[in-house]
Amino acid sequence: MHSTVQLLAKTDFPPIQRINLQTLQVNLGYLCNQSCTHCHVNAGPNRTELMQDEQVDQLIQLMRQGWVKILDLTGGAPEMNPRFKRLVIAAREFEVHVIDRCNLTILSEPGYEDLAEFLAIHQVEVCASLPCYLEDNVDKQRGKGVFDASIVGLQKLNQLGYGDQLVLNLVFNPQGAVLPPSQQSLEKAYKEVLLEKFGIRFNSLFTITNMPIARFGSTLISKGIFNQYMNTLKAAHSELNLNSVMCRGLVSVDYEGTLYDCDFNQQLGWPIRDRLGRALKLGSLTQTALNDLPIVVGDHCFGCTAGQGSSCTGALD
Ligand code: SF4
Ligand code: SF4
């Protein structure tokens, strides 16, 4: 049987032109307080892979250069890396906008009682996955009790001003092999239900298309519907979305400091390579260092351009 990596490599996806970098999306490691069955990096409480001081120092050095506008932190639970706060404080000193991809339950874990307040003080944007506003669906996807703990986390954030003057965004991705529904209508439904049932406010809902890679890709293969899903993505390809796919101005960094065009390429293990074929590392990064290097595309890229388009900040159009 082919792996998703093999299936995606041969592609007719059009080449994409890079523009100057503005965003660093950084995976701080695979340690997490949860172990969701769908997790694309198999994160969990026993994982030991964490970004070390050397790479964190390199990131701070890059932000000192003044061109980084956004630092987008992912994991695992990025807050569980003991260097998280140092990195956020440094970023804010350089006036870099920080996004924390937060699983919400971490806000109630012992030892993290001050985390929500820390995020608020440093005006960190919180971006949290809430795959549904119904308890059963969330617990099925992310584990028993996760919905209740997520609601508590959201209420805590609201009390600190999130959803008002501080930015709190939620992320939705479909449960199956279908494209997400309209972001606008779903956001409206989320806002109504969360406010009415739990008094929760948030800024925007990001709908994200499931990528045919990692665990979701393997599930598609084992169910025999990989090609069918690829056809759905390709049939919905919109040329216009090519202008705003996130890899044009973003670089993704893994916990060891290797560079990728996006988080999806990171999951596929497809790094950005120099002309000699060497995988690029943080130490060689500048704002323009990647400008002449091609963006590594595969069939999964149709996940970014299908329908209303998809990125880590939701729909593109
Ligand atoms: S909370 Fe996120 S990073 Fe942690 S196990 Fe679940 S999906 Fe993975
Ligand atoms: S999958 Fe990555 S490389 Fe491909 S279009 Fe999307 S962001 Fe760009």
Side-chain angles (χ1 to χ4, degrees):
M1 191 192 286
H2 289 298
S3 71
T4 48
V5 175
Q6 290 167 310
L7 288 169
L8 297 167
K10 205 170 160 294
T11 186
D12 52 358
F13 192 83
I16 312 167
Q17 297 307 315
R18 218 186 279 277
I19 47 176
N20 281 352
L21 291 176
Q22 292 208 316
T23 301
L24 296 178
Q25 190 176 68
V26 180
N27 188 314
L28 287 180
Y30 302 152
L31 180 61
C32 188
N33 58 316
Q34 290 181 202
S35 38
C36 309
T37 48
H38 71 281
C39 181
H40 58 267
V41 292
N42 264 330
N46 299 322
R47 298 298 295 260
T48 53
E49 301 89 336
L50 284 176
M51 181 171 275
Q52 301 296 306
D53 285 328
E54 182 191 347
Q55 288 80 27
V56 170
D57 290 342
Q58 287 174 327
L59 289 168
I60 294 173
Q61 210 36 52
L62 285 173
M63 291 189 287
R64 186 168 282 133
Q65 292 171 10
W67 55 265
V68 180
K69 300 288 176 252
I70 299 173
L71 177 69
D72 186 343
L73 299 173
T74 75
E79 310 88 345
M80 291 180 84
N81 186 316
R83 300 154 192 90
F84 174 81
K85 287 186 178 173
R86 176 162 81 88
L87 184 57
V88 171
I89 291 168
R92 297 301 296 139
E93 272 170 16
F94 300 125
E95 296 182 5
V96 172
H97 179 75
V98 180
I99 302 172
D100 176 30
R101 303 218 168 243
C102 176
N103 67 20
L104 296 174
T105 60
I106 188 70
L107 299 172
S108 311
E109 287 285 331
Y112 294 88
E113 292 86 355
D114 66 341
L115 178 61
E117 207 171 350
F118 172 85
L119 297 172
I121 289 170
H122 295 281
Q123 298 182 307
V124 174
E125 173 182 332
V126 173
C127 190
S129 181
L130 192 69
C132 190
Y133 44 72
L134 300 175
E135 179 172 354
D136 272 6
N137 287 345
V138 173
D139 284 3
K140 216 187 290 162
Q141 196 178 114
R142 297 176 78 80
K144 199 163 167 41
V146 167
F147 184 78
D148 283 346
S150 303
I151 294 297
V152 170
L154 288 169
Q155 288 168 335
K156 208 171 186 175
L157 290 169
N158 274 169
Q159 278 160 17
L160 290 161
Y162 277 97
D164 291 324
Q165 71 274 28
L166 294 168
V167 180
L168 170 61
N169 295 322
L170 300 182
V171 175
F172 164 91
N173 57 297
Q175 310 250 348
V178 289
L179 287 173
S182 146
Q183 180 166 282
Q184 232 183 347
S185 342
L186 195 63
E187 179 181 287
K188 196 165 167 281
Y190 260 68
K191 285 197 165 166
E192 280 169 10
V193 175
L194 289 178
L195 185 65
E196 194 185 314
K197 288 182 84 172
F198 308 104
I200 288 170
R201 285 158 285 112
F202 67 95
N203 297 89
S204 301
L205 180 76
F206 299 153
T207 56
I208 297 189
T209 301
N210 286 323
M211 281 285 167
I213 60 172
R215 197 167 279 174
F216 184 69
S218 309
T219 309
L220 293 174
I221 292 177
S222 62
K223 285 185 175 168
I225 52 171
F226 183 87
N227 288 336
Q228 183 190 318
Y229 186 60
M230 273 317 310
N231 290 340
T232 304
L233 296 181
K234 288 185 178 186
H237 170 70
S238 158
E239 205 71 13
L240 263 185
N241 286 331
L242 287 172
N243 296 330
S244 37
V245 285
M246 61 186 170
C247 51
R248 296 195 69 203
L250 167 151
V251 67
S252 157
V253 186
D254 72 11
Y255 75 95
E256 294 179 302
T258 305
L259 307 182
Y260 304 81
D261 294 306
C262 66
D263 189 47
F264 309 122
N265 285 4
Q266 184 179 142
Q267 289 162 42
L268 285 165
W270 293 358
I272 304 174
R273 296 187 183 279
D274 66 13
R275 301 264 170 230
L276 299 173
R278 296 170 301 199
L280 289 182
K281 304 286 270 189
L282 259 182
S284 57
L285 188 62
T286 61
Q287 188 180 25
T288 53
L290 310 180
N291 282 10
D292 295 331
L293 297 173
I295 292 175
V296 184
V297 294
D299 257 6
H300 62 303
C301 296
F302 286 104
C304 290
T305 56
Q308 56 190 336
S310 179
S311 74
C312 288
T313 48
L316 299 177
D317 58 13

